Amino acid sequence: QPVLTQPPSVSGTPGQKVTISCSGSDSNIGSNYVYWYQQFSGAAPKLLIYRNNQRPSGVPDRFTGSKAGTSGSLAISGLRAEDEAEYFCASWDYSRTVVFGGGTKVTV
Amino acid sequence: DVQLLESGGGLARRGESLTLSCSGSGFIFGNYWLNWIRQAPGKGLEWVANIKQDGSDMYYGDSVRGRFAISRDNAKKLLYLQMDSLRVDDTATYFCARTDDGTYLPDHWGQGTRVTVSS
């Protein structure tokens, strides 16, 4: 069972805004950064958001990350067909492990 | 550009051993923590292990601790994962990933190498 909890799926129509939640605990998200990764079928994950709310160069500003307490969120605004992918959150846990969410499939 | 390229995957039988390698380029290899992360077919991501810049410290996930060993050769810019006592549930695509400086979390990922363990 994944340590971080994400909804298995979210869906939206083009142009809509969708939000993916990532719930953790004091020992991970509550004390450390949240990262988000985007993975297309058959491909490697790609960094989407780092240090809670920072976007690597090349990531559109339609993707926004936030953190509050022991939860993180990823919002995708102006949803596009090309955003259809799986999204994973991750954090460092004080048990000295990297922990991931189970992944959320976004359907447009 | 940062590039990571895994190799060494393939088919093994339960109880056998396999060693994966990951070659890094486009960054100062010895300056970063490095990770192995795996993904079973149709499943989510599972962190396997990571190793400090000079190889002096490493951490493991519960499911592989005592069976897998992570190591690195900074002169050759290579990361390794020695996998012993393989189990059927070790079947997965194994990714190596560089760690974002100071956070323990991956930023750049390789394309992965597939490992299949048969019974």
Side-chain angles (χ1 to χ4, degrees):
Chain A
Q1 286 283 47
V3 173
L4 305 181
T5 301
Q6 298 179 234
S9 63
V10 298
S11 63
T13 56
Q16 262 190 332
K17 178 180 178 179
V18 297
T19 302
I20 302 169
S21 60
C22 175
S23 177
S25 66
D26 289 337
S27 67
N28 42 66
I29 293 177
S31 308
N32 294 289
Y33 292 116
V34 180
Y35 280 51
W36 290 92
Y37 304 93
Q38 179 188 57
Q39 186 180 34
F40 295 105
S41 180
K46 169 195 158 187
L47 181 64
L48 197 64
I49 297 288
Y50 67 102
R51 302 192 185 201
N52 301 333
N53 54 20
Q54 303 299 302
R55 279 185 303 274
S57 62
V59 173
D61 59 7
R62 303 184 294 104
F63 294 90
T64 305
S66 64
K67 171 186 152 179
T70 59
S71 292
S73 289
L74 174 70
I76 311 173
S77 58
L79 197 62
R80 297 184 175 186
E82 67 212 49
D83 299 332
E84 197 160 281
E86 190 143 26
Y87 295 82
F88 294 90
C89 61
S91 186
W92 174 250
D93 191 282
Y94 279 144
S95 62
R96 298 186 175 182
T97 58
V98 174
V99 291
F100 285 98
T104 298
K105 184 169 176 56
V106 170
T107 303
V108 182
Chain B
D1 280 7
V2 173
Q3 291 196 353
L4 296 158
L5 184 63
E6 303 90 340
S7 60
L11 183 62
R13 290 189 173 175
R14 184 176 54 194
E16 291 185 340
S17 298
L18 209 56
T19 300
L20 306 182
S21 300
C22 172
S23 171
S25 62
F27 64 103
I28 302 175
F29 191 85
N31 282 5
Y32 292 86
W33 282 75
L34 298 170
N35 301 270
W36 285 103
I37 297 157
R38 69 185 182 182
Q39 187 172 35
K43 302 295 184 184
L45 300 170
E46 180 188 11
W47 177 76
V48 173
N50 65 7
I51 186 167
K52 194 177 179 179
Q53 290 94 329
D54 62 0
S56 63
D57 206 2
M58 59 279 287
Y59 302 123
Y60 294 93
D62 289 343
S63 61
V64 306
R65 189 176 295 115
R67 300 188 299 121
F68 289 10
I70 189 171
S71 62
R72 64 192 294 166
D73 185 331
N74 287 341
K76 296 181 178 178
K77 300 181 184 179
L78 288 171
L79 173 70
Y80 302 103
L81 185 67
Q82 172 70 37
M83 304 185 294
D84 296 328
S85 303
L86 281 164
R87 307 193 297 219
V88 173
D89 61 2
D90 293 321
T91 295
T93 296
Y94 286 73
F95 299 99
C96 70
R98 193 187 78 168
T99 293
D100 183 19
D101 194 20
T103 72
Y104 294 112
L105 289 162
D107 57 5
H108 289 84
W109 298 63
Q111 287 303 112
T113 187
R114 187 168 296 185
V115 172
T116 302
V117 183
S118 66
S119 56

